[in-house]
Amino acid sequence: MMKVWNDFEKKVFDSLYILYGSEEFLIEKTKDLLVQNVLQEDELDFNLTVVDLDESPVETAIEQMDEFPFMGEKRVVILKNAYFLTAAERKRDKIVHDIERLIAYLENPAPFTIAVFIVPYPKLDVRKKVTKLLVKNATVFEAKPMQDRELMSWISNHAKEINVLIDSKAIELLLYMTGGNLQTITSELEKVALHVGAGERITTDIIDRLVVKSLDQNVFALVDKIVHNQRQRAVEMVHDLLVQKEEPIRILAAIARQYRIFAQVKYLCSLGIGAPEIAAKLKISPYPVKLAMQQIGQFSEKELLKKLDQLAEMDFQMKTGYGDKEMLLELFILQG
């Protein structure tokens, strides 16, 4: 059975929870919301226990789970890193867990305790008796990476929670600039919200100005300058990246990736395929696809393939020590 965060607000709690998956930010968010809805702030010191199973045996947690709550109705015991519920092989495992004792507890869990098993791993191993029993009796929350549409909805909702407005295009740009990383999205959105102030609107200009750019985003802007024949500004941008200690080979690879996206988008557009479908096929955010669609009119397919050949040759020259790396980058930009 799957629950979402808001279900905790109904004040109906199960005795056992499993929070697992590769999106650790969602796991932490869900765990925090559960604790907030179960315990009052003045109960946290007495009725909340966190046991790291990388450092302590599961018996330590079971002892806590069997204790009555102190001046409250419920205890919450968080069991971090419950990797024994997976098929993961971990060299650092040094703790021996009494799984049979845990199985006995799961068959008759304490009614006053909420046990939360946290497993930062993509899959549970339901072939194991302990996992099968826990999955059968627990509420299970899978924290898997969201798709772009889900992330866009999440950004919109979180903006409302922190009392700011955000344009749909600004959401797309934020998603692109953060690479879809939920932790980064949250921290950057909250930083921008603090800058604009409560009740204000976040636009693409504000996102572009305040959100930290990755190498790919800087190179996208650089290529945009090349496309629009602003070559001297493009050279200056290369120099800025070099001052930031970016390696010329990495810059070249990012430029090649951008031209590869141009070539792929141009070909797929010629087949009548729309931006969302192209993004799905290329496994990238819709935002760079939409921007690429605005730029590919500058090139024929033949010209794009020629660019990719030039970039491949430059990559070979850089890696074999032929010519000055910075000069090769400038030459590509100035030759167009």
Side-chain angles (χ1 to χ4, degrees):
M1 179 173 143
M2 194 74 68
K3 284 199 176 185
V4 296
W5 303 341
N6 288 342
D7 285 341
F8 300 143
E9 296 174 5
K10 296 176 182 176
K11 305 298 183 184
V12 177
F13 306 107
D14 296 321
S15 296
L16 302 168
Y17 288 87
I18 307 174
L19 312 183
Y20 83 98
S22 56
E23 184 56 83
E24 294 189 41
F25 177 80
L26 281 179
I27 290 176
E28 285 298 305
K29 183 75 172 176
T30 304
K31 181 260 294 179
D32 290 344
L33 283 171
L34 175 57
V35 171
Q36 289 168 17
N37 280 280
V38 175
L39 300 177
Q40 299 296 321
E41 191 170 346
D42 58 0
E43 293 182 272
L44 296 176
D45 289 340
F46 305 107
N47 291 327
L48 174 64
T49 302
V50 179
V51 178
D52 188 343
L53 298 177
D54 272 346
E55 298 177 359
S56 303
V58 73
E59 304 92 278
T60 302
I62 295 171
E63 290 169 4
Q64 294 292 322
M65 287 142 64
D66 279 333
E67 282 191 16
F68 285 99
F70 181 76
M71 297 182 67
E73 295 182 3
K74 294 286 185 181
R75 287 181 58 78
V76 178
V77 178
I78 309 293
L79 296 88
K80 290 176 56 180
N81 298 315
Y83 281 98
F84 54 74
L85 299 173
T86 76
E89 295 182 5
R90 306 172 73 234
K91 293 180 179 178
R92 64 181 180 180
D93 283 343
K94 297 178 181 178
I95 305 298
V96 178
H97 300 290
D98 188 343
I99 300 301
E100 289 303 316
R101 184 174 172 185
L102 176 59
I103 288 172
Y105 178 87
L106 297 177
E107 289 173 339
N108 187 27
F112 46 78
T113 295
I114 296 172
V116 184
F117 292 79
I118 293 183
V119 192
Y121 196 73
K123 291 184 178 181
L124 301 173
D125 188 355
V126 293
R127 297 170 300 177
K128 294 181 176 181
K129 180 179 178 181
V130 63
T131 310
K132 187 182 295 185
L133 180 61
L134 186 53
V135 168
K136 178 182 177 182
N137 295 326
T139 294
V140 180
F141 176 88
E142 181 184 7
K144 58 185 178 181
M146 297 182 189
Q147 299 300 312
D148 281 349
R149 186 172 297 179
E150 294 174 305
L151 282 168
M152 292 174 72
S153 176
W154 193 92
I155 292 169
S156 178
N157 290 334
H158 191 56
K160 292 175 184 175
E161 288 174 6
I162 57 179
N163 198 25
V164 290
L165 305 172
I166 183 166
D167 294 343
S168 59
K169 290 189 179 298
I171 291 176
E172 290 182 356
L173 181 57
L174 177 62
L175 182 58
Y176 170 59
M177 292 183 70
T178 55
N181 182 284
L182 194 53
Q183 177 69 67
T184 307
I185 287 171
T186 304
S187 60
E188 290 294 334
L189 180 59
E190 291 176 355
K191 178 184 75 177
V192 172
L194 189 63
H195 176 84
V196 300
E200 296 300 317
R201 181 174 296 277
I202 298 172
T203 64
T204 52
D205 288 341
I206 293 170
I207 294 290
D208 187 57
R209 188 157 40 88
L210 296 181
V211 174
V212 177
K213 293 181 177 64
S214 69
L215 174 60
D216 279 340
Q217 279 116 36
N218 279 310
V219 166
F220 189 94
L222 187 157
V223 171
D224 184 66
K225 299 301 180 190
I226 298 173
V227 170
H228 290 94
N229 209 29
Q230 300 175 24
R231 304 192 186 282
Q232 190 53 49
R233 177 60 188 132
V235 169
E236 292 171 2
M237 293 175 75
V238 167
H239 289 166
D240 290 342
L241 290 171
L242 294 171
V243 168
Q244 296 170 28
K245 305 298 182 184
E246 290 289 356
E247 289 292 327
I249 290 177
R250 287 192 72 232
I251 297 173
L252 181 70
I255 292 173
R257 180 177 183 272
Q258 192 55 54
Y259 276 97
R260 198 174 301 113
I261 289 173
F262 284 173
Q264 292 169 323
V265 170
K266 191 169 187 71
Y267 171 71
L268 293 170
C269 280
S270 72
L271 300 178
I273 299 175
E277 292 79 12
I278 292 174
K281 280 182 177 293
L282 301 183
K283 296 182 179 179
I284 59 176
S285 169
Y287 189 79
V289 172
K290 291 177 182 178
L291 293 183
M293 291 173 78
Q294 297 170 13
Q295 296 172 317
I296 54 177
Q298 306 283 340
F299 305 99
S300 66
E301 286 188 28
K302 184 177 179 180
E303 287 172 330
L304 287 171
L305 292 174
K306 182 180 177 182
K307 292 282 187 190
L308 290 170
D309 285 341
Q310 290 176 340
L311 289 162
E313 177 62 25
M314 286 177 58
D315 180 72
F316 175 78
Q317 291 174 347
M318 284 189 182
K319 289 176 179 176
T320 55
Y322 178 80
D324 181 86
K325 294 176 183 178
E326 296 179 23
M327 190 174 295
L328 285 168
L329 277 173
E330 290 188 17
L331 188 61
F332 173 80
I333 291 170
L334 293 173
Q335 284 181 340

